[in-house]
Amino acid sequence: MTSNRASRRALLTAASSLSALALAAVPAFATSSPAQIATAKTNGVSYLRSLQAADGSYAGAGLSNEWAFSAFAATGTASVDVTPGGDPTKNARTVYRNLLATTAWPSTSPVVTDYERGIINAYSAGIDPARVAAGRNLLADTYAYWQNSAPGYWGAPSNFNGTVFALISLGGAKTQTGVQRIPQPLLDKSVATVRANQHNDGGWNFSKAEGDPSALAAGSDIDMTGAAMASLCVSGVPATDPAITKAKGFLKSKLVNTSGAFDAMFGANTDSNGWAVSGLNACGINPQTGDFLTKAGKTPVDFLIAQQFKPGGGFKYVPSDTAPSAYASIDGLRAVAGGGFMAAPPAPTTAGAPQWVATSGFTPGTTAKLALTVDTGSSLKVCSVALTPTASTTTLGAVLDAATTAATPAGCVTSVTPGSGNGTITAVNGTANSGSSTWKAGVDGASAVAANRDTVINLGDTISLRYGS
């Protein structure tokens, strides 16, 4: 495989191909029917259930199948209902949450996509990604990778995929009640970055192209085009936006008339097709009509269903394969089920199991992280703030004080007035309240109110501090 293919596998910690559970692959049908899709979902879920380890895990050292959580959610299957041998104590959600909570996760040399992957799959599994445990806030972990030297990028700008998946994960990770918790100005900054990296042909690929005429003129990648489309739409960009319509045109130009597959860089395959269809799904674009129904009457969903073994439910990576690939099966099922790259967790069927799990308060003495933005209207600062609370809650003043010395990246907060007590915050980073322009604070997407040092902050709160009227 080429380096691009390898980099994508590394990004997503994809699983290797497993033994076939099935008989023969089903033939392609033009414009797959609801019944065919329902059957594909049922069989696909059965296959993904078979990938669960005896200890209940889908993720761990080496290759990982944790993306199964996003596929399960797209099919309406709650991860807490997925158990090995019917043992509820080893349900997939609990085992995954316990893994995410360990200090050893994700590795000794993490990259931003580790945390983005964690957000997407924790959220899809019904784990509040900001409240995995007292010491694990995946949103704050991601905020630490904001690039002060290249605002709008997350992680190394050369690895553009980190910025795309930052938008997918942060924009998609709503609160438990469905409220957007990430400030829109922050999403907009990265939306502009994604726009600046769109190639002349309407698509994207995994590396940075902004400011490089040769890179912008290079051919795009099917996979990353689907992901970039999803990143824009989940962040509030409408499907009628020129960036989305150009991307649709690129994908349309790559359709294979006889099969409905997208002619990807390395040929027609389930993963590329799955990412493209998930991008279309995330933007509310039907992948079986209009631009995506070929003259031969084939669609990308037809191709995906033709890649699935029946009755085993696994998907081939390429048409010539004789055994299913775990990773391709996840990508294929999520797309056929109508999912983008993440989905809100379904209601469990297990008696007494909640839709969401989350840690409710700080543990005194245990270092915690909080996600913070400081927005003057002309300057946006983003950081992860580490603090060691002394009670189950803390205050906005304590968070801002901690941010002056324990923020990543540094420089998010350089000064706060007053520097102690419980009064109204009158100045941050040298910008003082003036007339109707004052500092206001909002938490988890709630309406901003006057910023006070004694404002109560809870574990996992996403804090937005902004200046204005």
Side-chain angles (χ1 to χ4, degrees):
M1 261 328 142
T2 69
S3 59
N4 277 350
R5 173 76 181 164
S7 69
R8 185 176 78 157
R9 291 278 179 169
L11 161 66
L12 301 177
T13 57
S16 58
S17 298
L18 302 183
S19 299
L21 299 176
L23 302 176
V26 301
F29 292 91
T31 313
S32 299
S33 69
Q36 288 173 308
I37 292 172
T39 297
K41 288 165 60 176
T42 298
N43 291 341
V45 167
S46 294
Y47 175 75
L48 293 193
R49 283 180 178 272
S50 76
L51 302 180
Q52 188 176 29
D55 64 359
S57 66
Y58 276 89
L63 296 175
S64 164
N65 295 324
E66 68 193 287
W67 280 95
F69 299 124
S70 65
F72 278 135
T75 66
T77 303
S79 293
V80 70
D81 295 331
V82 178
T83 61
D87 183 351
T89 66
K90 298 178 181 179
N91 73 79
R93 179 171 74 182
T94 295
V95 173
Y96 186 47
R97 184 186 184 191
N98 290 341
L99 172 67
L100 294 175
T102 62
T103 57
W105 185 90
S107 71
T108 56
S109 301
V111 293
V112 67
T113 50
D114 290 328
Y115 299 110
E116 293 160 356
R117 185 180 70 249
I119 291 171
I120 290 169
N121 289 291
Y123 181 84
S124 298
I127 304 164
D128 188 327
R131 300 173 174 88
V132 177
R136 175 67 72 199
N137 179 338
L138 293 168
L139 275 65
D141 288 332
T142 301
Y143 268 43
Y145 288 83
W146 175 259
Q147 298 297 295
N148 281 337
S149 61
Y153 287 91
W154 300 82
S158 59
N159 294 324
F160 174 61
N161 56 307
T163 296
V164 167
F165 277 88
L167 278 179
I168 290 174
S169 58
L170 296 174
K174 305 294 192 292
T175 67
Q176 295 179 37
T177 57
V179 175
Q180 176 182 310
R181 69 176 105 196
I182 304 300
Q184 190 62 43
L186 175 54
L187 297 178
D188 289 344
K189 192 70 175 178
S190 290
V191 163
T193 298
V194 172
R195 291 184 187 278
N197 280 276
Q198 188 169 26
H199 290 211
N200 299 343
D201 62 11
W204 290 265
N205 67 28
F206 282 78
S207 57
K208 180 185 177 184
E210 180 183 9
D212 184 342
S214 295
L216 291 169
S220 296
D221 177 77
I222 296 293
D223 313 51
M224 203 62 197
T225 297
M229 290 176 71
S231 77
L232 293 177
C233 290
V234 79
S235 302
V237 175
T240 54
D241 186 273
I244 301 301
T245 56
K246 285 179 63 179
K248 281 176 57 183
F250 168 73
L251 291 179
K252 179 183 178 181
S253 74
K254 296 295 183 178
L255 271 178
V256 178
N257 180 55
T258 55
S259 66
F262 292 107
D263 186 13
M265 194 174 295
F266 309 114
N269 66 82
T270 296
D271 294 324
S272 296
N273 234 66
W275 278 37
V277 171
S278 284
L280 294 170
N281 291 338
C283 290
I285 300 168
N286 191 331
Q288 291 214 90
T289 61
D291 289 338
F292 301 102
L293 177 63
T294 73
K295 292 180 180 179
K298 303 294 184 180
T299 75
V301 175
D302 292 338
F303 172 76
L304 289 173
I305 289 181
Q307 290 284 91
Q308 188 180 35
F309 287 90
K310 187 175 182 179
F315 288 71
K316 304 174 180 182
Y317 167 57
V318 294
S320 61
D321 285 347
T322 58
S325 156
Y327 180 54
S329 298
I330 291 168
D331 281 345
L333 178 60
R334 183 175 56 231
V336 168
F341 287 84
M342 62 191 295
T349 59
T350 300
Q355 182 180 15
W356 290 97
V357 289
T359 302
S360 59
F362 293 104
T363 297
T366 297
T367 299
K369 295 178 182 179
L370 292 167
L372 171 68
T373 55
V374 181
D375 185 3
T376 65
S378 60
S379 173
L380 177 66
K381 301 291 187 180
V382 182
C383 61
S384 173
V385 181
L387 73 162
T388 304
T390 58
S392 60
T393 63
T394 189
T395 64
L396 179 60
V399 173
L400 298 181
D401 292 344
T404 63
T405 58
T408 307
C412 192
V413 178
T414 57
S415 63
V416 182
T417 304
S420 62
N422 300 318
T424 299
I425 293 172
T426 59
V428 178
N429 297 346
T431 299
N433 290 349
S434 177
S436 62
S437 292
T438 60
W439 285 100
K440 299 173 178 63
V443 171
D444 278 357
S447 298
V449 296
N452 290 291
R453 286 190 62 90
D454 61 355
T455 296
V456 175
I457 300 296
N458 294 288
L459 178 74
D461 283 351
T462 298
I463 306 167
S464 170
L465 192 66
R466 69 171 181 84
Y467 180 77
S469 56

